[in-house]
Amino acid sequence: LPDPTAALIEVAARAASRPVLYGEPPVGPELALVARESLRADGVPEGPLAVTSGALDAIERVLLTRLRPGDPVAVEDPGWGGLLDLLSTLGLHPVPVAMDDEGPLPDALEHALTSGVRACVITARAQNPTGAAVSAARAGALRPLLAAFPETLLIEDDHGHGIVSAPLNPLGGLGTHWALVRSVAKSLGPDLRVAVLTGDPTTVRGVAARIGAGPGWVSRILQDTVALLWPGCARPDGPAPVSYDTRRCLLRDALAARGVTAHGRTGPNLWVPVPDETAAVAGMLASGWAVAPGSRYRLETGPGIRLTVSTLAPDEMERVADDLAAVLAPSSGTRSG
């Protein structure tokens, strides 16, 4: 994570000389400028901006502008546990969409759209827990499907911006209702609770109205800090993308050498299908490793576990792979190398 000290000092000095008062625009001009440049460079359609306290806050507010309790929402399976929890809290019904390393499968998404879902949520890159990223080819297959259902709300979650080397292949702008949220919680740190949201004018206005009726705005001190740090963390060849790519590939290759299949195209996570989640989690814990059970992330997908490389050193990868292969050997037939 980048050191925010210098940016915070500069922004604090600005705030001391000219504090933000009631009635000022909720989106800071500095953040708006860098966000628009970034979104435009990635081919995201032009739209108004709103700023929220992180990706999940943005997704919640977008859903609340369009949906009612009981409405079905297409979600990736396996998918982000935080989103599944949010849908449950809002009384929305998740409809699983099978996926692979390149994003939602076209046939599965078409089935969900045909069934009458009111919205679909797609992770652009660094999908949690699988590391999937929507490829250019997959985006080309998904866009006609989404365009055929223009009244279905599309939400794209680009929380992986700044931590992945894979390019963004946006899907929005084809239908009447769409939104893309770009969070900095992964690239700048989880305490910088800032996400930029764009989309169709009606949806973004609805989100802005909800913010205005509640907290009013996201701290301009945080916004201005993010604006200063954003350019340095947005490079696909930056320290975070290179570090995650290196460590993730090392572990994935080490597991493959031992006959263990792991999925992880981008970001810090790997998804490993297993025959028994409880046994796999317990076995790895006994070997000194904490892994996440897949039940937290899946609806109809078979059992699996999530491995995260964020805190793993390169010289630990072989030992992790040995231990996981040994844990899986009795039930899956794999052998440690």
Side-chain angles (χ1 to χ4, degrees), residues 4-333:
T5 304
L8 285 167
I9 291 172
E10 179 176 339
V11 171
R14 282 192 223 161
S17 62
R18 188 190 177 280
V20 173
L21 302 175
Y22 292 104
E24 297 197 29
V27 180
E30 292 86 356
L31 180 58
L33 179 62
V34 297
R36 286 192 184 282
E37 289 178 351
S38 175
L39 293 168
R40 189 178 299 115
D42 284 336
V44 178
E46 291 284 343
L49 295 180
V51 176
T52 65
S53 296
L56 201 59
D57 182 44
I59 293 170
E60 177 181 16
R61 294 180 188 279
V62 171
L63 291 171
L64 287 171
T65 65
R66 291 291 178 193
L67 275 61
R68 296 178 297 177
D71 282 344
V73 179
V75 296
E76 298 152 337
D77 186 24
W80 184 22
L83 175 62
L84 298 178
D85 291 343
L86 174 63
L87 296 182
S88 176
T89 299
L90 298 180
L92 300 172
H93 175 63
V95 176
V97 175
M99 58 180 301
D100 61 14
D101 293 338
E102 297 183 61
L105 297 174
D107 288 347
L109 180 61
E110 183 177 24
H111 182 268
L113 291 168
T114 304
S115 74
V117 295
R118 294 288 314 283
C120 59
V121 183
I122 296 176
T123 308
R125 303 177 281 186
Q127 197 262 4
N128 190 352
T130 68
V134 177
S135 66
R138 182 59 50 82
L142 297 179
R143 288 186 188 114
L145 301 178
L146 295 165
F149 295 85
E151 294 303 312
T152 301
L153 170 65
L154 169 65
I155 302 175
E156 291 182 86
D157 177 7
D158 191 30
H159 78 103
H161 175 73
I163 66 167
V164 299
S165 57
L168 178 72
N169 293 293
L171 303 170
L174 300 170
T176 306
H177 312 301
W178 67 279
L180 182 143
V181 55
R182 178 164 282 181
S183 167
V184 301
K186 300 297 188 299
S187 58
L188 299 183
D191 203 35
L192 281 172
R193 305 301 299 167
V194 175
V196 174
L197 172 77
T198 190
D200 70 89
T202 303
T203 297
V204 178
R205 278 199 303 267
V207 170
R210 286 185 172 274
I211 296 172
W217 68 90
V218 174
S219 163
R220 287 281 289 274
I221 290 177
L222 289 182
Q223 291 190 47
D224 290 348
T225 301
V226 168
L228 286 176
L229 294 172
W230 186 311
C233 78
R235 305 190 323 272
D237 60 347
V242 170
S243 176
Y244 284 141
D245 284 352
T246 299
R247 286 182 284 168
R248 188 187 64 256
C249 291
L250 281 173
L251 182 54
R252 189 180 61 202
D253 293 347
L255 289 169
R258 292 156 176 79
V260 178
T261 299
H263 301 273
R265 185 164 170 242
T266 57
N269 296 316
L270 291 169
W271 175 260
V272 180
V274 299
D276 186 326
E277 287 181 14
T278 302
V281 171
M284 289 300 283
L285 189 60
S287 299
W289 308 108
V291 301
S295 57
R296 174 102 171 85
Y297 310 97
R298 59 188 181 85
L299 296 169
E300 294 181 353
T301 298
I305 57 174
R306 189 194 72 174
L307 310 180
T308 302
V309 301
S310 303
T311 58
L312 283 178
D315 59 5
E316 294 179 300
M317 303 303 180
E318 296 292 324
R319 188 156 59 90
V320 174
D322 280 339
D323 289 341
L324 183 55
V327 166
L328 297 182
S331 54
S332 67

